[in-house]
Amino acid sequence: QVQLVESGGGLVQTGASLKLSCVYSGRAFGRYAMGWFRQTPGKEREFVSALNRRGGNPSYDDSVKGRFTISRDDGTTTLFLQMNNLKPEDTAVYYCAARSGHTEATVLWADEYDYWGQGTQVTVSS
């Protein structure tokens, strides 16, 4: 019932910045825990960052802490991921996800999310 559409990926050099967007829709005035995950060929989808269903309590994987910032704008129903000081290791398809229900904690596990976007490619060259 929740639709997610990512955008903002691209090809950049090491040290550059990108801002990913995820426009979401669902039940009117519904609130969802939301997060960003990334995946490279041959690897499982890994956690990047997430917010709780109220849009607070941000959490980050250690690999992106201090470089990435997650935020949400409920007025435009958009989830953002500001990515600074990008590294080649950040190259992946990035997915946004939403979780229904009333869990108040930030959700860090991909298996706990119910809805996924189709992904946006981020490629970082040296």
Side-chain angles (χ1 to χ4, degrees):
Q1 295 182 9
V2 178
Q3 299 181 53
L4 306 167
V5 181
E6 303 103 329
S7 63
L11 173 62
V12 298
Q13 295 183 351
T14 298
S17 297
L18 282 173
K19 189 173 185 178
L20 306 184
S21 299
C22 173
V23 178
Y24 57 91
S25 63
R27 290 181 60 85
F29 307 109
R31 294 183 294 180
Y32 309 92
M34 301 191 72
W36 289 97
F37 294 78
R38 63 188 181 187
Q39 188 169 25
T40 56
K43 298 181 64 177
E44 294 185 354
R45 194 164 298 184
E46 66 176 358
F47 170 76
V48 176
S49 184
L51 295 169
N52 67 16
R53 64 188 296 271
R54 302 181 186 275
N57 194 26
S59 184
Y60 301 92
D61 183 76
D62 286 342
S63 66
V64 305
K65 193 173 299 181
R67 298 188 297 121
F68 291 11
T69 302
I70 189 171
S71 62
R72 196 176 84 188
D73 184 340
D74 289 337
T76 59
T77 61
T78 305
L79 180 74
F80 299 100
L81 184 67
Q82 177 66 51
M83 305 185 295
N84 297 327
N85 192 24
L86 283 162
K87 305 175 180 180
E89 305 92 270
D90 296 317
T91 295
V93 177
Y94 284 70
Y95 299 88
C96 64
R99 185 185 190 277
S100 62
H102 298 94
T103 299
E104 297 294 339
T106 304
V107 180
L108 310 182
W109 311 107
D111 288 347
E112 294 296 319
Y113 284 87
D114 303 302
Y115 307 100
W116 295 86
Q118 296 191 48
T120 185
Q121 177 71 47
V122 172
T123 302
V124 185
S125 63
S126 60

